[in-house]
Amino acid sequence: MPQDHRPAKSVRVLLAEDQGMMRGALALLLGLEPDIEVVAQVARGDAIVDAALTTRPDVALLDIELPGRSGLDAAADLRDEVPDCRVLILTTFGRPGYLRRAMEAGAAGFLVKDGPVEELAGAIRKVLTGETVIDPALAAAALSAGPSPLTARERDVLNASVDGATVSDIAGTLHLSESTVRNYLSSAIGKTGTRNRMEAVRAARQQGWL
């Protein structure tokens, strides 16, 4: 065996987490496992694919809310660019909509961050063998909540509405007419049962639809 007593073939893990202290702690704790090796650490979602192409991890452990690109979008990118890499979502926000989107993006697992590191290490091993690992309470909540009522375009328009963007700004960003943007916004507001687009954004985020 190698001098650090690891087996000849360790599970290679990529870790994507924007909070430096959390990222360092996770890397340290996982590194104590005899069969797990953290081969890459990134703080941005748009750095995940490049890091995976360079280091070829067996499992990518991704947070959801990352600068540059969300972990959910990055999961879909990895499915296309590095199909041998299994994706495990680890997040503070156990929202039913996030779980559904993670599964749609090809993730093999979804856990919240308040669990013990032994549980996380076990989940990494399980997804590598082809199992799907999902937090039981979150799975139950997702089933009861049902799918997101928003279309892809309605999500795009709501996402573009943050930070006080005007209808004109959104139209320019998404290459749509202003009347089309207004129609999408009106539809999204109706589906979320809110009074305006800012409330619609908040409601959709709380459900994990954005």
Short mmCIF file of all heavy atoms in Angstrom, two decimals, residues 69-95:
data_model
loop_
_atom_site.label_atom_id
_atom_site.label_comp_id
_atom_site.label_asym_id
_atom_site.label_seq_id
_atom_site.Cartn_x
_atom_site.Cartn_y
_atom_site.Cartn_z
N ARG A 69 -21.71 29.99 -12.49
CA ARG A 69 -22.64 28.99 -13.02
C ARG A 69 -23.12 28.14 -11.85
O ARG A 69 -22.33 27.75 -10.99
CB ARG A 69 -21.96 28.13 -14.08
CG ARG A 69 -22.89 27.23 -14.89
CD ARG A 69 -22.24 26.84 -16.20
NE ARG A 69 -23.06 25.98 -17.03
CZ ARG A 69 -24.09 26.39 -17.77
NH1 ARG A 69 -24.43 27.67 -17.73
NH2 ARG A 69 -24.78 25.56 -18.52
N SER A 70 -24.40 27.83 -11.83
CA SER A 70 -24.92 27.05 -10.70
C SER A 70 -24.42 25.61 -10.77
O SER A 70 -24.10 25.09 -11.85
CB SER A 70 -26.45 27.07 -10.69
OG SER A 70 -26.97 26.14 -11.62
N GLY A 71 -24.41 24.96 -9.61
CA GLY A 71 -24.02 23.56 -9.59
C GLY A 71 -24.96 22.68 -10.39
O GLY A 71 -24.55 21.66 -10.94
N LEU A 72 -26.24 23.06 -10.47
CA LEU A 72 -27.20 22.28 -11.25
C LEU A 72 -26.88 22.37 -12.74
O LEU A 72 -26.94 21.37 -13.47
CB LEU A 72 -28.62 22.78 -10.98
CG LEU A 72 -29.11 22.60 -9.53
CD1 LEU A 72 -30.49 23.22 -9.37
CD2 LEU A 72 -29.14 21.13 -9.14
N ASP A 73 -26.54 23.57 -13.21
CA ASP A 73 -26.16 23.72 -14.62
C ASP A 73 -24.84 22.99 -14.89
O ASP A 73 -24.66 22.37 -15.94
CB ASP A 73 -26.02 25.20 -14.98
CG ASP A 73 -27.36 25.92 -15.00
OD1 ASP A 73 -28.39 25.26 -15.25
OD2 ASP A 73 -27.39 27.13 -14.75
N ALA A 74 -23.92 23.09 -13.94
CA ALA A 74 -22.63 22.42 -14.10
C ALA A 74 -22.80 20.90 -14.13
O ALA A 74 -22.06 20.20 -14.82
CB ALA A 74 -21.68 22.82 -12.98
N ALA A 75 -23.77 20.39 -13.38
CA ALA A 75 -24.04 18.95 -13.40
C ALA A 75 -24.42 18.49 -14.80
O ALA A 75 -23.96 17.43 -15.28
CB ALA A 75 -25.14 18.61 -12.41
N ALA A 76 -25.27 19.27 -15.46
CA ALA A 76 -25.65 18.94 -16.83
C ALA A 76 -24.45 19.03 -17.77
O ALA A 76 -24.30 18.20 -18.68
CB ALA A 76 -26.77 19.87 -17.30
N ASP A 77 -23.57 20.01 -17.54
CA ASP A 77 -22.36 20.14 -18.35
C ASP A 77 -21.47 18.91 -18.19
O ASP A 77 -20.93 18.39 -19.17
CB ASP A 77 -21.57 21.39 -17.95
CG ASP A 77 -22.32 22.69 -18.23
OD1 ASP A 77 -23.24 22.67 -19.07
OD2 ASP A 77 -21.99 23.70 -17.60
N LEU A 78 -21.31 18.45 -16.95
CA LEU A 78 -20.47 17.29 -16.69
C LEU A 78 -21.06 16.03 -17.34
O LEU A 78 -20.32 15.18 -17.86
CB LEU A 78 -20.33 17.06 -15.19
CG LEU A 78 -19.42 18.04 -14.44
CD1 LEU A 78 -19.50 17.79 -12.94
CD2 LEU A 78 -17.98 17.93 -14.91
N ARG A 79 -22.36 15.93 -17.33
CA ARG A 79 -23.01 14.77 -17.97
C ARG A 79 -22.62 14.70 -19.45
O ARG A 79 -22.39 13.60 -19.99
CB ARG A 79 -24.53 14.89 -17.83
CG ARG A 79 -25.32 13.77 -18.50
CD ARG A 79 -26.80 14.09 -18.44
NE ARG A 79 -27.10 15.37 -19.05
CZ ARG A 79 -28.22 16.06 -18.86
NH1 ARG A 79 -29.15 15.59 -18.04
NH2 ARG A 79 -28.43 17.21 -19.47
N ASP A 80 -22.50 15.86 -20.09
CA ASP A 80 -22.17 15.89 -21.51
C ASP A 80 -20.66 15.83 -21.76
O ASP A 80 -20.22 15.17 -22.70
CB ASP A 80 -22.73 17.18 -22.14
CG ASP A 80 -24.25 17.24 -22.08
OD1 ASP A 80 -24.89 16.17 -22.02
OD2 ASP A 80 -24.79 18.36 -22.08
N GLU A 81 -19.88 16.53 -20.92
CA GLU A 81 -18.45 16.67 -21.17
C GLU A 81 -17.59 15.59 -20.51
O GLU A 81 -16.56 15.20 -21.03
CB GLU A 81 -17.97 18.05 -20.69
CG GLU A 81 -18.63 19.23 -21.37
CD GLU A 81 -18.15 19.44 -22.79
OE1 GLU A 81 -17.03 19.00 -23.11
OE2 GLU A 81 -18.89 20.02 -23.59
N VAL A 82 -18.01 15.13 -19.33
CA VAL A 82 -17.24 14.13 -18.58
C VAL A 82 -18.22 13.06 -18.10
O VAL A 82 -18.49 12.94 -16.90
CB VAL A 82 -16.49 14.78 -17.39
CG1 VAL A 82 -15.43 13.83 -16.84
CG2 VAL A 82 -15.86 16.11 -17.77
N PRO A 83 -18.76 12.27 -19.01
CA PRO A 83 -19.85 11.35 -18.65
C PRO A 83 -19.47 10.27 -17.64
O PRO A 83 -20.35 9.71 -16.99
CB PRO A 83 -20.24 10.73 -20.00
CG PRO A 83 -19.06 10.94 -20.88
CD PRO A 83 -18.44 12.22 -20.45
N ASP A 84 -18.19 9.98 -17.48
CA ASP A 84 -17.77 8.96 -16.51
C ASP A 84 -17.78 9.48 -15.07
O ASP A 84 -17.63 8.70 -14.13
CB ASP A 84 -16.37 8.45 -16.84
CG ASP A 84 -16.34 7.64 -18.13
OD1 ASP A 84 -17.41 7.11 -18.52
OD2 ASP A 84 -15.27 7.54 -18.76
N CYS A 85 -17.93 10.79 -14.90
CA CYS A 85 -17.91 11.40 -13.57
C CYS A 85 -19.33 11.40 -12.99
O CYS A 85 -20.25 11.95 -13.60
CB CYS A 85 -17.36 12.82 -13.66
SG CYS A 85 -17.34 13.70 -12.08
N ARG A 86 -19.49 10.81 -11.84
CA ARG A 86 -20.78 10.82 -11.16
C ARG A 86 -20.91 12.12 -10.36
O ARG A 86 -19.93 12.61 -9.79
CB ARG A 86 -20.89 9.64 -10.20
CG ARG A 86 -20.74 8.29 -10.88
CD ARG A 86 -21.99 7.86 -11.58
NE ARG A 86 -22.96 7.34 -10.63
CZ ARG A 86 -24.22 7.03 -10.94
NH1 ARG A 86 -24.67 7.23 -12.17
NH2 ARG A 86 -25.04 6.54 -10.03
N VAL A 87 -22.11 12.68 -10.31
CA VAL A 87 -22.32 13.97 -9.66
C VAL A 87 -23.16 13.78 -8.40
O VAL A 87 -24.21 13.14 -8.42
CB VAL A 87 -23.02 14.96 -10.61
CG1 VAL A 87 -23.40 16.24 -9.85
CG2 VAL A 87 -22.10 15.31 -11.78
N LEU A 88 -22.67 14.38 -7.32
CA LEU A 88 -23.39 14.38 -6.05
C LEU A 88 -23.58 15.82 -5.61
O LEU A 88 -22.62 16.56 -5.45
CB LEU A 88 -22.59 13.61 -4.99
CG LEU A 88 -23.17 13.45 -3.59
CD1 LEU A 88 -24.52 12.74 -3.64
CD2 LEU A 88 -22.21 12.68 -2.70
N ILE A 89 -24.83 16.25 -5.49
CA ILE A 89 -25.15 17.61 -5.08
C ILE A 89 -25.17 17.68 -3.55
O ILE A 89 -25.83 16.88 -2.89
CB ILE A 89 -26.52 18.07 -5.63
CG1 ILE A 89 -26.52 18.05 -7.17
CG2 ILE A 89 -26.87 19.45 -5.11
CD1 ILE A 89 -25.61 19.07 -7.82
N LEU A 90 -24.44 18.64 -3.00
CA LEU A 90 -24.41 18.85 -1.55
C LEU A 90 -24.72 20.32 -1.30
O LEU A 90 -23.97 21.20 -1.72
CB LEU A 90 -23.02 18.51 -1.00
CG LEU A 90 -22.85 18.64 0.52
CD1 LEU A 90 -23.70 17.62 1.25
CD2 LEU A 90 -21.38 18.49 0.91
N THR A 91 -25.84 20.59 -0.64
CA THR A 91 -26.27 21.98 -0.52
C THR A 91 -26.87 22.29 0.85
O THR A 91 -27.33 21.39 1.56
CB THR A 91 -27.32 22.29 -1.61
OG1 THR A 91 -27.72 23.66 -1.52
CG2 THR A 91 -28.55 21.41 -1.45
N THR A 92 -26.85 23.56 1.19
CA THR A 92 -27.52 24.04 2.40
C THR A 92 -29.02 24.08 2.20
O THR A 92 -29.80 23.95 3.14
CB THR A 92 -27.02 25.46 2.75
OG1 THR A 92 -25.61 25.43 2.87
CG2 THR A 92 -27.63 25.96 4.05
N PHE A 93 -29.44 24.26 0.94
CA PHE A 93 -30.84 24.51 0.63
C PHE A 93 -31.54 23.24 0.16
O PHE A 93 -31.43 22.86 -0.99
CB PHE A 93 -30.96 25.61 -0.42
CG PHE A 93 -30.23 26.87 -0.04
CD1 PHE A 93 -29.01 27.17 -0.61
CD2 PHE A 93 -30.74 27.71 0.92
CE1 PHE A 93 -28.33 28.33 -0.25
CE2 PHE A 93 -30.07 28.86 1.29
CZ PHE A 93 -28.86 29.16 0.71
N GLY A 94 -32.23 22.56 1.09
CA GLY A 94 -32.94 21.35 0.74
C GLY A 94 -34.31 21.65 0.19
O GLY A 94 -35.32 21.42 0.85
N ARG A 95 -34.35 22.17 -1.01
CA ARG A 95 -35.62 22.57 -1.63
C ARG A 95 -36.08 21.53 -2.64
O ARG A 95 -35.27 21.06 -3.45
CB ARG A 95 -35.47 23.93 -2.31
CG ARG A 95 -35.14 25.04 -1.31
CD ARG A 95 -34.72 26.32 -1.98
NE ARG A 95 -34.40 27.35 -0.98
CZ ARG A 95 -33.76 28.47 -1.26
NH1 ARG A 95 -33.36 28.72 -2.49
NH2 ARG A 95 -33.51 29.34 -0.29
#
